[in-house]
Amino acid sequence: MGFWAFLILGLIAGVIARIVIPGKQPGGFWVTLLLGVLGAMLGGWLGGLLFNISFDEFWSWQSWLFSVIGSIIVILIVQAIFGRRNA
């Protein structure tokens, strides 16, 4: 998967993760992009490590599933470190 495809996947995974997790998360578009890309990287690493999944194709359901799961994990870690903001 190319650099731009990975950024798009990370952004979309970050947005989906923010929708799934209730409450207000800190940050805007750029934080969502960053957390999504970090989550996609984490999800790709976990998918490859645990299930030997390759992330060569953009439209692979495994790529999307593990990217969203990784993004959820990253957002939960960020919330645990910085705390939830109730506004």
Side-chain angles (χ1 to χ4, degrees):
M1 189 171 2
F3 175 75
W4 293 108
F6 194 73
L7 282 179
I8 291 169
L9 176 65
L11 175 61
I12 295 170
V15 169
I16 292 171
R18 286 185 75 154
I19 291 170
V20 169
I21 297 174
K24 181 171 174 60
Q25 291 90 23
F29 174 78
W30 296 110
V31 173
T32 299
L33 177 64
L34 178 66
L35 294 179
V37 171
L38 289 175
M41 289 172 54
L42 175 67
W45 178 74
L46 287 175
L49 181 69
L50 299 175
F51 302 107
N52 199 24
I53 294 173
S54 173
F55 282 82
D56 295 332
E57 296 183 28
F58 181 75
W59 294 111
S60 169
W61 67 270
Q62 293 101 344
S63 299
W64 287 90
L65 178 68
F66 280 97
S67 294
V68 171
I69 290 171
S71 296
I72 289 172
I73 291 170
V74 168
I75 289 175
L76 289 175
I77 289 171
V78 168
Q79 283 184 348
I81 291 172
F82 295 107
R84 290 184 181 219
R85 295 183 180 173
N86 299 323

